[in-house]
Amino acid sequence: MPVVDATEALGRTVTNVTEAWGRSWIFLGKTLAGLISPPFRYRLFLDQLYQIGVKSTLVVALIGIFTGAVLAVQGVYTLSKFGASAFTGSAVALSLIRELGPVLTALMVIGRAGSAITAEIGIMKITEQLDALRSMAVDPMRYLMAPRLLAGIIAMPLLTGIFITIGIFGGFIVGVGLLGLSSGTFFSDMVAAVDNVDVYSGFIKSVAFGFIFGWVSCYKGYTCGFGAVGVNRATTESVVTASVAVLVLDYFLTSILTRVFM
Amino acid sequence: MICVRNVSKRFGKQVVLSGVSLNIEDGKTTTIVGPSGVGKSVLLKLIMGILAPDQGEIEIFGENITRADSEAERNRIRASLGVLFQSAALFDSLTVYENVAFALNQRFSLPRKEVHERVVSMLSALSLESFAFRYPQEISIGIRKRVGMARALITQPKVVLFDEPNTGLDPLVGQEVYDLIKECRKKWGFTGVVISHELPEVFQVSDRVAMILQGKIIEEGTPAEFAASANPAVQQFLNGRIDGPIKIQ
Ligand SMILES: Nc1ncnc2c1ncn2[C@@H]1O[C@H](COP(=O)(O)OP(=O)(O)OP(=O)(O)O)[C@@H](O)[C@H]1O
Ligand SMILES: [Mg+2]
């Protein structure tokens, strides 16, 4: 009976998705509980801050400088059609601060550090290291997940700040150095155009993305299936899920924040 | 005493344990034997409270780990356990030394000097000094197993669970492991659960022997009673015969 089979398959999919959704929230709850209950593990947190933050700096800077450069080229091209190429500096800065900085940094960090976290925790799971932790009365939520989540939340805005700063610099080099804009207007218009609220919304986004990053990468590692296939699938799912979640959340945050701050 | 009462566990459709009951007496070592895949390691994980049984209960010194309703509660009960995993399950981001010191550092706030002394003496008891600063990926399975052993014993736990302490070890080191179990038992008298395929060598550290087959305990007694069992499956297993009630899967 194809109809019965199809209905059954649909039912099973819905149940599985709902269950995974519920489990991921329980997981988050336990991680947060591990985060706030003493003792706080500074060493583990600093170690993760190094792994996630410091080690991503170079690649974030690289992407930042080219993003700013492209924005400047594109800005001069588009704005000159309206005779407004003097506003390129503002356009570069606003795009970077409000949108591209937080989003591209998050995607970069997810690709670099998120996949690594998922693979590491996944391998710890399938080699019984998580069981070993629990057998020694050490809670993996507190020992492994909480420091990673917190490090993600702290590192993401810092990396975003680096991305934006370097991006503006990249825009400056191309706009002023190569395309002949005046450096005075590049910056003075920028200062006039960028409001505090732009910086706030960029900041709020990057914190939210850091949260998504830590949550998804830890959860996908923790629920990893057996063997190399399991780790492979968990890593892929982790990167895809986190990236999609960041882009979807970005839309909603942009809508909400624009309304709140307008 | 560890009380396993009528415990059942299945994974999906596969029934692994169905109604296992076993009393593990204080200060004694109970050895669990049985063919591969009958669920010996699963039983150990149920005792540790890492897996939850579908049915039945497990008490460790009168505290019910299956009914404990929070991880914190289970951790309190687990604090009396030391575990050697079948795969050793060493933390691969830590050196041998750090692996052995891990439980001491995490659970007790001992002065660094005392931790160091205890780790060094444990490593030398297992002839592991030369591996102290290597990572688990850099040492052989047999040596990893010994490190796992050191990690299980370092806290001097009241109960030690050994999942195949000798598998992968050469006969000399294998005997060293048995000697270490005896010595530690003399030193602080733990209650032991040993899973092993090494018959009859493992009898030298066993006070009781139990055999699992098809999800149940089919024989239980002292090593002498066990060896004299009338159960054909036990005799087949002891003598390593192909023909008999146990079908190799
Ligand atoms: N987490 C799990 N999920 C699904 N099935 C599992 C899980 N753990 C164990 N099993 C299944 O339970 C059965 C018993 O496994 P277990 O590892 O306990 O065997 P064992 O008696 O220790 O065998 P061996 O002597 O080879 O170590 C196996 O068929 C295994 O596939
Ligand atoms: Mg096993």
Side-chain angles (χ1 to χ4, degrees):
Chain A
M1 287 283 275
V3 179
V4 175
D5 286 350
T7 317
E8 199 182 304
L10 179 69
R12 200 174 315 120
T13 314
V14 172
T15 327
N16 287 349
V17 169
T18 320
E19 189 182 322
W21 179 248
R23 278 186 197 286
S24 66
W25 281 94
I26 294 173
F27 176 85
L28 179 64
K30 287 182 176 168
T31 307
L32 291 176
L35 196 57
I36 55 177
S37 58
F40 184 67
R41 297 172 183 271
Y42 293 97
R43 283 285 317 268
L44 295 171
F45 164 69
L46 289 178
D47 193 40
Q48 287 308 314
L49 199 57
Y50 176 76
Q51 295 292 341
I52 297 167
V54 177
K55 285 192 165 175
S56 301
T57 317
L58 197 64
V59 64
V60 161
L62 201 64
I63 304 288
I65 200 159
F66 282 101
T67 307
V70 164
L71 281 176
V73 176
Q74 191 63 33
V76 170
Y77 175 79
T78 313
L79 292 171
S80 66
K81 297 201 168 184
F82 309 99
S85 59
F87 294 114
T88 301
S90 323
V92 168
L94 281 177
S95 321
L96 282 174
I97 293 170
R98 294 183 57 95
E99 283 300 327
L100 293 178
V103 171
L104 289 183
T105 307
L107 294 181
M108 240 13 255
V109 175
I110 287 167
R112 209 204 66 85
S115 54
I117 289 178
T118 305
E120 184 188 10
I121 293 178
I123 287 172
M124 289 188 78
K125 182 185 176 193
I126 64 178
T127 56
E128 299 184 309
Q129 292 177 55
L130 294 188
D131 289 346
L133 276 177
R134 295 176 63 192
S135 79
M136 289 186 230
V138 175
D139 185 359
M141 297 300 163
R142 185 187 297 196
Y143 185 78
L144 293 172
M145 317 301 169
R148 284 165 176 76
L149 182 69
L150 184 63
I153 295 173
I154 307 265
M156 199 65 90
L158 295 174
L159 289 168
T160 304
I162 293 175
F163 183 101
I164 294 170
T165 313
I166 294 189
I168 292 174
F169 177 67
F172 174 80
I173 294 178
V174 170
V176 176
L178 299 178
L179 300 175
L181 297 173
S182 116
S183 74
T185 38
F186 189 89
F187 280 116
S188 64
D189 281 343
M190 190 188 294
V191 172
V194 177
D195 279 329
N196 280 350
V197 293
D198 298 319
V199 179
Y200 296 154
S201 55
F203 176 75
I204 291 173
K205 280 183 179 180
S206 65
V207 170
F209 296 162
F211 190 81
I212 296 276
F213 153 83
W215 179 17
V216 173
S217 357
C218 290
Y219 177 71
K220 286 291 175 184
Y222 191 70
T223 52
C224 168
F226 291 109
V229 181
V231 177
N232 181 342
R233 184 172 308 152
T235 317
T236 311
E237 280 180 10
S238 157
V239 172
V240 172
T241 310
S243 307
V244 171
V246 159
L247 292 173
V248 172
L249 185 66
D250 183 49
Y251 168 74
F252 286 106
L253 280 179
T254 307
S255 310
I256 294 169
L257 291 171
T258 337
R259 207 160 291 171
V260 170
F261 286 138
M262 275 301 154
Chain B
M1 186 155 97
I2 302 177
C3 258
V4 178
R5 272 198 302 270
N6 198 24
V7 162
S8 300
K9 179 73 186 172
R10 60 162 77 193
F11 294 103
K13 292 207 173 85
Q14 183 196 6
V15 178
V16 178
L17 300 175
S18 55
V20 167
S21 296
L22 186 65
N23 284 335
I24 294 160
E25 291 166 46
D26 286 351
K28 298 211 169 147
T29 301
T30 301
T31 298
I32 298 174
V33 301
S36 265
V38 289
K40 304 182 294 297
S41 301
V42 168
L43 180 59
L44 279 201
K45 286 188 188 167
L46 289 166
I47 294 176
M48 292 172 230
I50 281 173
L51 292 174
D54 302 325
Q55 219 185 63
E57 319 210 336
I58 295 171
E59 274 178 13
I60 298 171
F61 300 119
E63 300 204 83
N64 196 315
I65 195 157
T66 42
R67 286 240 197 97
D69 43 27
S70 69
E71 188 73 2
E73 181 70 14
R74 275 188 292 275
N75 277 341
R76 201 176 51 71
I77 304 173
R78 281 175 193 142
S80 59
L81 301 183
V83 184
L84 166 65
F85 283 79
Q86 187 168 356
S87 62
L90 302 180
F91 303 122
D92 49 25
S93 57
L94 304 179
T95 62
V96 165
Y97 181 98
E98 289 163 340
N99 263 288
V100 177
F102 187 84
L104 287 181
N105 288 329
Q106 294 298 324
R107 229 188 278 156
F108 310 99
S109 38
L110 295 179
R112 187 176 290 192
K113 188 156 165 281
E114 192 183 336
V115 171
H116 180 73
E117 277 164 9
R118 277 171 73 168
V119 172
V120 167
S121 83
M122 182 56 80
L123 288 178
S124 74
L126 280 154
S127 330
L128 286 166
E129 301 100 320
S130 57
F131 302 103
F133 299 104
R134 303 264 205 102
Y135 285 89
Q137 310 84 282
E138 302 167 352
I139 57 181
S140 77
I141 305 277
I143 297 167
R144 270 183 238 170
K145 214 55 196 271
R146 269 191 279 161
V147 177
M149 184 92 183
R151 191 177 68 174
L153 293 170
I154 189 84
T155 55
Q156 309 203 339
K158 283 203 285 182
V159 179
V160 193
L161 312 176
F162 302 93
D163 198 341
E164 306 197 6
N166 290 73
T167 310
L169 303 189
D170 64 66
L172 299 181
V173 175
Q175 187 53 47
E176 197 174 280
V177 163
Y178 286 133
D179 292 342
L180 183 81
I181 294 179
K182 287 182 213 160
E183 188 192 311
C184 289
R185 219 163 54 157
K186 218 180 288 160
K187 226 156 91 188
W188 75 86
F190 58 73
T191 303
V193 181
V194 180
I195 291 177
S196 179
H197 292 297
E198 275 218 328
L199 299 172
E201 290 86 346
V202 67
F203 288 166
Q204 62 181 294
V205 294
S206 315
D207 300 303
R208 312 283 301 175
V209 184
M211 177 161 167
I212 305 187
L213 192 66
Q214 288 165 346
K216 294 209 157 51
I217 303 271
I218 58 159
E219 183 65 75
E220 208 266 332
T222 64
E225 288 163 5
F226 187 81
S229 167
N231 192 319
V234 173
Q235 288 306 327
Q236 183 195 355
F237 195 72
L238 273 174
N239 299 313
R241 284 198 309 265
I242 303 291
D243 53 322
I246 307 174
K247 298 280 172 279
I248 297 173
Q249 285 156 354

